[in-house]
Amino acid sequence: MSTTLEPAAATAAGERGRYLQLALIVIAAGAIYPILYLRQSYQTTMLEVLHLTNIDLGVLYSILGTAFLVCYLPSGWLADRVQPRLLILFSMVGTGLLGLWYATLPGYNALLVIYSGFGVTTGLTFWAATLKQVNLIAHADEQGRFFGILDGGRGLVEALLASAAIALFVFVSETRGSGLAAGFRDVVLMYAITCIVIGVLYFVVSKPGVVTRERKVRETSLLSDVKALLSIPEIWLVAAIIFCGYHVFLATYSFSAYLEEGGFGISAAMAGFIVMLKLWLRPVGGIGGGFLGDRYSKSGVLLLAFLLSAVSLMGMVLLPGIGSTLVLIVLILFVGLLTYAIRGLYWAILDDCNVPPHVTGLAIGIISLVGYAPDTYLPLVNGYLSDTYPGLAGYQFYFSYIAVICVLGAVATAVLMARLKKKG
């Protein structure tokens, strides 16, 4: 009897272990990124309390994006060699310590150093390690839901933290009357301390990894591995899809400022509340998109999401002259939902490309190098348009550009679908 139960018990333990790993990664990913992208809810406040222009802010995020770009390839190399728990511990604690410095509201030069540091702690040591780990613990028919849970789950963590942050911000800056600077400082402190605590907890709770066959296989030439990956057309298509999808995601960071500066009569607190509601849609979009992708077609759901995003963004561009503010807010929330569905799926399609497990981290690094390139220039484009065409016009130009990129994303997805269908 024991001989029949032991394999079943081992299988059950293995399943619990997979989902525990996923849960820990989700919590860590949900806690580490919000401090980098506080502009999503506090852009106008950041400009005031840090004494920045829109172009200054664009430069900070361009520096962050450039750091990401430099780190993506070595991030994949590290992910194939170093235990994820060590990389994640360093990332969480390092980001938290930089956050404590950030909370002093330092000058522009110090902010340049802080944002460069964020690029290392989240780009070099965190990014590929988490994506590879999720890819490996998910079975072939679970890629959509696992990556959907990763993005949707981290979105839930981000929404919980954002809700606490906006409540703290309003209490300190308005209820207590301490002003915007004190409110923003306390928000940054909250995120920084959270990163450090979660990083230590993750390290304590997670179990050390073991050396697997991929550690031995991975001793092949790095150059030959890179050449082999670059010769796979599907790798380039996945990179193009992520490139386009990431444009849409970055565009959502401007929703708060758009609502405040577009002449709609919306206060900073109300704009922050709307963006916080959008964040609560991330679990719905990410997890829902992932499950739909596994149930029907990951590429098919991506294609539909890109097309609907293009239409909705053009609605946001045209609506201020012909529609109501309420409909505009609904469109903003809908674009957010679609964005999270895209993010929940675009890494899941990598599994369809038959990348060998021992170079999955390297493949993620190569794809990220192309896919997240908008980090380096899109904030500058946004800052330039906002300063050159103040108010509504700058955002209309910006969102029109993003809508065109969505159409290109749909084309890349359709080409990938055709190639996979031909191979299958």
Side-chain angles (χ1 to χ4, degrees), residues 31-47:
I32 198 171
Y33 287 106
I35 195 170
L36 279 64
Y37 297 106
L38 289 172
R39 68 176 294 183
Q40 184 171 197
S41 298
Y42 305 97
Q43 178 166 319
T44 304
T45 299
M46 289 174 68
L47 295 177

Side-chain angles (χ1 to χ4, degrees), residues 11-343:
T11 301
E15 288 296 295
R16 286 195 298 272
R18 289 197 308 132
Y19 282 98
L20 176 60
Q21 285 189 63
L22 179 61
L24 291 170
I25 291 170
V26 163
I27 294 170
I32 198 171
Y33 287 106
I35 195 170
L36 279 64
Y37 297 106
L38 289 172
R39 68 176 294 183
Q40 184 171 197
S41 298
Y42 305 97
Q43 178 166 319
T44 304
T45 299
M46 289 174 68
L47 295 177
E48 181 176 338
V49 304
L50 297 171
H51 310 291
L52 304 173
T53 66
N54 279 305
I55 291 179
D56 290 336
L57 193 62
V59 169
L60 288 178
Y61 280 92
S62 181
I63 289 288
L64 178 66
T66 302
F68 283 156
L69 201 65
V70 171
C71 290
Y72 280 137
L73 199 56
S75 172
W77 182 87
L78 272 178
D80 288 330
R81 287 167 168 78
V82 181
Q83 288 184 11
R85 66 195 296 264
L86 297 175
L87 294 174
I88 291 172
L89 173 67
F90 174 83
S91 299
M92 299 299 291
V93 174
T95 301
L97 292 176
L98 288 168
L100 295 180
W101 184 11
Y102 191 5
T104 65
L105 307 183
Y108 183 62
N109 290 335
L111 288 171
L112 290 173
V113 176
I114 290 170
Y115 273 77
S116 298
F118 282 155
V120 173
T121 59
T122 60
L124 178 65
T125 55
F126 188 82
W127 181 246
T130 57
L131 291 178
K132 176 173 181 176
Q133 193 71 0
V134 173
N135 175 267
L136 292 178
I137 64 177
H139 299 315
D141 60 348
E142 297 175 328
Q143 293 288 321
R145 71 193 69 176
F146 266 58
F147 277 101
I149 290 171
L150 172 64
D151 198 71
R154 64 180 270 201
L156 178 60
V157 175
E158 287 184 13
L160 289 168
L161 291 174
S163 300
I166 196 69
L168 177 63
F169 178 73
V170 171
F171 173 75
V172 174
S173 63
E174 296 182 11
T175 306
R176 202 169 66 188
S178 298
L180 294 177
F184 183 72
R185 178 203 63 211
D186 286 358
V187 165
V188 176
L189 277 174
M190 185 200 84
Y191 279 117
I193 293 169
T194 300
C195 282
I196 294 171
V197 170
I198 290 177
V200 173
L201 284 176
Y202 177 89
F203 183 77
V204 171
V205 173
S206 61
K207 295 180 180 179
V210 295
V211 177
T212 63
R213 63 173 178 83
E214 62 179 278
R215 173 68 63 89
K216 297 174 182 177
V217 176
R218 189 61 188 86
E219 296 305 323
T220 55
S221 164
L222 176 63
L223 184 60
S224 65
D225 286 340
V226 170
K227 286 182 178 179
L229 289 170
L230 292 180
S231 68
I232 303 174
E234 288 78 11
I235 292 289
W236 290 100
L237 287 169
V238 173
I241 290 167
I242 293 176
F243 176 85
C244 296
Y246 197 56
H247 270 80
V248 193
F249 180 67
L250 288 181
T252 66
Y253 290 163
S254 298
F255 286 175
S256 175
Y258 175 54
L259 290 169
E260 289 182 61
E261 301 170 22
F264 308 115
I266 294 176
S267 67
M270 180 55 69
F273 177 75
I274 293 167
V275 170
M276 182 266 291
L277 286 180
K278 178 183 69 68
L279 290 175
W280 278 102
L281 292 176
R282 189 166 182 172
V284 180
I287 297 173
F291 273 88
L292 285 174
D294 283 340
R295 175 67 178 83
Y296 299 104
S297 162
K298 294 189 285 288
S299 300
V301 175
L302 262 175
L303 177 62
L304 180 61
F306 270 124
L307 293 175
L308 289 175
S309 294
V311 172
S312 300
L313 284 163
M314 288 311 299
M316 287 174 56
V317 169
L318 301 173
L319 195 64
I322 58 175
S324 70
T325 302
L326 178 61
V327 176
L328 183 68
I329 292 170
V330 171
L331 273 179
I332 283 174
L333 296 175
F334 185 55
V335 171
L337 184 69
L338 293 169
T339 300
Y340 300 137
I342 291 171
R343 282 178 60 88

Side-chain angles (χ1 to χ4, degrees), residues 341-372:
I342 291 171
R343 282 178 60 88
L345 282 168
Y346 59 33
W347 278 111
I349 58 177
L350 178 62
D351 195 62
D352 296 333
C353 302
N354 298 317
V355 176
H358 69 279
V359 288
T360 300
L362 187 61
I364 290 168
I366 292 171
I367 292 169
S368 297
L369 198 63
V370 177
Y372 296 104

